[in-house]
Amino acid sequence: MTVPAAPTGRREGAGVFVTLEGGDGVGKTTQAALLEEWLTGLGRTVVRTREPGGTEVGVLVRDIVLHHRGDIAPRAEALLYAADRAHHIATVVRPALARDEVVIQDRYLDSSVAYQGEGRQLDAAEIRELSLWAAAGLLPDLTVLLDLDPRAARRRLDADDKPFDRLEAEREDFHVRVREHFLQIARDEPDRFLVLDAARPAEELAADIRARLEPLLATPRGAGSGVGTPD
Ligand code: TYD
């Protein structure tokens, strides 16, 4: 499948938008922290954020999608993630990019495509469209996919000793499908993705991320970057 370009247009500012994706327990938070440290050392202003829950409204949505006791219809779940995204992108991410900052974001639209599209067996292309509509077409400059066997990830989560949320508590076959779909998305958009084996040491992964990001920091941004203008 070739992925159609997002609505084109010009994003304000010289900011850089990096997202981290992958299953639960693959080490996204560790990599976000290492990346922030490096970028700050280079003198860049960094905004570290996440979905769901990167805004006050988002914290409320996060509580519903992760902790509601009982079922949520799959389409309602997809819309809740999209609502969180719409508000977060409009009020946090776009303004930061317009100030020429670097946004490091834990999860974005690819999580919706993998978890709601494939995991909940909704239509992946529709979920992508929904997310792009919510975000008025904003695509990351770089998406790092930390890929790990769900069984290994589960062992890391078990060691954390935190109670599982609604998604983490899903069965192993759900997480296997989510992983496969993340890899498929990355194959469809090789220019945007860096896929890394998350079983490797954290410092090595961080070095690979830095190497891939470095040229993007230097390139002046402009039209045709696959980024839409908000309506
Ligand atoms: P995350 O914040 O990574 O969880 P934690 O704080 O436990 O590390 O993500 C919360 C869960 O939400 C995760 O299981 C993936 C899921 N999710 C979706 O299903 N769809 C989405 O669009 C997003 C952003 C997350």
Side-chain angles (χ1 to χ4, degrees), residues 129-157:
E129 282 307 307
L130 175 69
S131 275
L132 283 174
W133 180 82
L138 184 69
L139 279 174
D141 299 301
L142 173 66
T143 299
V144 178
L145 174 58
L146 295 172
D147 176 58
L148 188 63
D149 177 346
R151 281 168 291 265
R154 174 54 57 116
R155 281 195 292 278
R156 291 186 184 183
L157 289 176

Side-chain angles (χ1 to χ4, degrees), residues 24 28 50-52 62 66 77 81 85 106-108 111-112 115-116 162 165 167-168:
D24 298 280
K28 295 185 294 302
R50 68 171 178 181
E51 291 184 7
R62 183 180 173 91
L66 298 189
E77 184 180 276
Y81 281 112
R85 181 157 302 138
D106 198 330
R107 298 193 181 280
Y108 187 42
S111 278
S112 280
Y115 281 83
Q116 279 66 55
K162 278 197 315 190
D165 65 42
L167 281 290
E168 285 165 351

